[in-house]
Amino acid sequence: MMHTQFFGNYLVNKCAITHQQLLHALEAHTQEGGSWDGFFNSSKTGEDEKPPDYLLLGEILVEQGVLTPSQLEEHLSNYHSDCEILDLNFNTEQREVIQKMLAEINTINADIPVEYISDYLLLLFQNMVRYVESNFTPLSLLRMNEISASNCVTQQLECGSFRVASALNMTDVTAISFASRYAGENFEGLDEYVQASMEDFLNLHNGLYVVNLSNEHALELVLLPPQMQDHKVLSPNTNTFLFPILFPFGLVYFICSVETIN
């Protein structure tokens, strides 16, 4: 599933498809399991050999009329060249810290199953590597009481009996560097493009997580639009956890708040 998401977001970054078209295709990929009739029956894949999942995503985009077969072939060729279809591997230090953090999560009495939090956190780290910067150090997990909100973008998702509010929080200088790396642009100052980039990263990450939960746990979630936090101080009254991530360009605080819906 991970290569499927990477290929989909590669197409978004190349402006070949929109985020909305990607999410629709991922939903179809999850719900239908894909149809092997059509475009790939005439490809080099053998009759008894099932193509990788990211190729199925491409077929769905063709079936939905988003891409033509020739456009898909061109994007696949470029994707293979640019990304080399390699698995993301954390370095030894990162892997040790991540495992320690996941062990800490297992001791938390939260309102949702711990594996949901673990999956969410691992996907976050993978998306940081893929879209922002691979050189980072996750710091110790903290239960958050209060934190100063500098540049803070939030997004909420709901699933049946629980609600999760997520946020990215960082200083002005760090926000400019974070957004520049994510967008592939050189932002000079704190402006609407920096804000939009932060919102886009959080929305992308949460959108992929929603698709994963639907695929793996048959859960239906509602994802609300991201927004900038106006308050200068965040003082949550629910189970809220702080995940500090240290990059060469600054410290990024990821915040996750869990609440049971009555």
Side-chain angles (χ1 to χ4, degrees):
M1 187 66 179
M2 193 57 63
H3 283 320
T4 303
Q5 297 163 356
F6 288 162
F7 178 55
N9 286 291
Y10 174 85
L11 294 175
V12 171
N13 291 335
K14 295 296 183 181
C15 299
I17 64 175
T18 67
H19 280 306
Q20 196 63 37
Q21 288 170 331
L22 171 59
L23 291 178
H24 285 164
L26 287 172
E27 288 172 0
H29 180 282
T30 298
Q31 295 169 3
E32 301 173 9
S35 169
W36 296 106
D37 301 326
F39 178 70
F40 288 111
N41 278 355
S42 60
S43 71
K44 296 179 181 179
T45 305
E47 292 183 2
D48 298 326
E49 183 182 351
K50 182 178 179 180
D53 262 6
Y54 70 92
L55 295 184
L56 174 55
L57 176 66
E59 183 184 60
I60 290 173
L61 288 167
V62 170
E63 291 175 348
Q64 292 179 342
V66 178
L67 297 175
T68 66
S70 60
Q71 287 174 329
L72 176 59
E73 277 195 296
E74 180 180 357
H75 289 307
L76 282 170
S77 176
N78 292 336
Y79 178 62
H80 291 168
S81 299
D82 293 348
C83 301
E84 298 180 351
I85 312 301
L86 296 175
D87 289 327
L88 289 175
N89 292 313
F90 299 114
N91 64 40
T92 302
E93 180 182 1
Q94 289 172 335
R95 190 177 298 109
E96 290 176 352
V97 175
I98 289 171
Q99 290 302 321
K100 179 176 181 293
M101 186 176 289
L102 295 180
E104 291 173 347
I105 289 175
N106 286 328
T107 67
I108 293 173
N109 184 23
D111 292 327
I112 63 176
V114 291
E115 63 267 23
Y116 293 2
I117 303 176
S118 299
D119 291 347
Y120 189 89
L121 188 59
L122 280 173
L123 180 61
L124 174 68
F125 290 143
Q126 289 168 333
N127 285 336
M128 288 289 190
V129 170
R130 180 68 180 87
Y131 300 110
V132 183
E133 166 69 54
S134 62
N135 181 19
F136 65 84
T137 301
L139 304 181
S140 296
L141 168 71
L142 302 171
R143 187 182 289 273
M144 194 184 89
N145 295 317
E146 184 175 283
I147 188 173
S148 175
S150 301
N151 291 282
C152 184
V153 57
T154 65
Q155 188 171 36
Q156 185 169 289
L157 58 90
E158 297 182 359
C159 178
S161 61
F162 65 87
R163 178 187 297 116
V164 177
S166 59
L168 283 174
N169 184 42
M170 60 197 84
T171 65
D172 292 0
V173 174
T174 302
I176 294 169
S177 296
F178 181 94
S180 296
R181 284 165 170 77
Y182 174 69
E185 302 284 345
N186 186 23
F187 297 129
E188 298 291 339
L190 194 65
D191 54 23
E192 67 273 14
Y193 297 108
V194 172
Q195 174 181 330
S197 296
M198 291 176 61
E199 291 177 348
D200 193 64
F201 175 83
L202 190 60
N203 188 62
L204 169 65
H205 168 67
N206 285 333
L208 294 175
Y209 181 67
V210 164
V211 173
N212 282 356
L213 275 188
S214 175
N215 183 53
E216 297 173 12
H217 302 285
L219 296 176
E220 295 185 7
L221 294 93
V222 176
L223 185 62
L224 302 181
Q227 59 184 10
M228 292 301 292
Q229 175 63 247
D230 295 329
H231 303 298
K232 297 300 182 183
V233 176
L234 297 179
S235 301
N237 55 8
T238 57
N239 287 322
T240 303
F241 310 104
L242 187 67
F243 304 97
I245 305 172
L246 181 61
F247 289 91
F249 56 83
L251 191 59
V252 173
Y253 293 98
F254 182 77
I255 302 167
C256 183
S257 176
V258 182
E259 180 182 7
T260 300
I261 302 176
N262 296 324

